Amino acid sequence: MPGILEALRIPDAEEVLRRVVPQLQQIGDLHSMAISYNKLGMALFCQDRQREAVPYYRQAAALFSQMGDIYNEIHSHRGLYECMWTLNPDSAKLEMDLFDLLKDSLYRHSTAQSLARYHAEFERDELEANVAEVR
């Protein structure tokens, strides 16, 4: 939960996000719109309005999934987990399971990319050493 200063700003943030989201939808900026849905969900959650926050987190998760943005989708499912904890613990468990699955997927993807990069660098260094030997 936010501190006193942040708590005073949360209703203002909610108001701004509610004005921005339709504009982002109108221009077709789905990524910014999904991020705004996550932020709006967070603003509502911080005001103990979990039931109102759930649809925003769900919309964000759907958009991020559609775009293949696992990193931000993870945040949507974490928000859903936190909101659902008091509303429906069984649903909260499902959201946490999905959060964990996506987090593991992101980790595996990042690890595979790093290993491929290191392998390519090693092969390049080995090739350069072979070329230097031939000269």
Side-chain angles (χ1 to χ4, degrees):
M1 283 298 199
I4 300 268
L5 187 57
E6 292 87 5
L8 296 174
R9 295 181 182 151
I10 289 173
D12 294 335
E14 176 190 352
E15 181 184 329
V16 168
L17 288 164
R18 288 189 185 276
R19 285 194 320 255
V20 166
V21 166
Q23 293 172 2
L24 293 170
Q25 188 173 23
Q26 186 177 25
I27 63 172
D29 187 348
L30 297 180
H31 196 257
S32 295
M33 189 170 71
I35 291 170
S36 296
Y37 281 150
N38 265 351
K39 295 295 184 184
L40 186 51
M42 184 188 314
L44 293 167
F45 175 76
C46 288
Q47 296 176 74
D48 291 323
R49 295 163 56 194
Q50 287 85 343
R51 198 171 302 281
E52 291 176 65
V54 167
Y56 292 105
Y57 280 125
R58 286 206 193 287
Q59 289 175 312
L63 286 170
F64 288 130
S65 177
Q66 178 185 350
M67 291 183 275
D69 184 343
I70 296 172
Y71 177 77
N72 280 308
E73 186 182 353
I74 287 171
H75 293 289
S76 302
H77 290 290
R78 180 173 179 213
L80 282 166
Y81 163 76
E82 291 173 341
C83 288
M84 298 304 289
W85 183 250
T86 57
L87 301 174
N88 184 336
D90 290 337
S91 292
K93 168 78 170 90
L94 294 174
E95 292 299 334
M96 180 53 76
D97 291 345
L98 190 50
F99 169 86
D100 286 337
L101 180 70
L102 290 170
K103 183 178 64 169
D104 291 345
S105 175
L106 185 63
Y107 175 76
R108 281 192 308 277
H109 178 73
S110 295
T111 300
Q113 281 185 326
S114 293
L115 287 173
R117 187 179 72 245
Y118 292 136
H119 180 70
E121 288 174 7
F122 175 76
E123 292 289 326
R124 185 194 70 217
D125 291 346
E126 194 172 274
L127 182 59
E128 287 175 356
N130 288 340
V131 168
E133 270 182 34
V134 172
R135 291 183 186 179

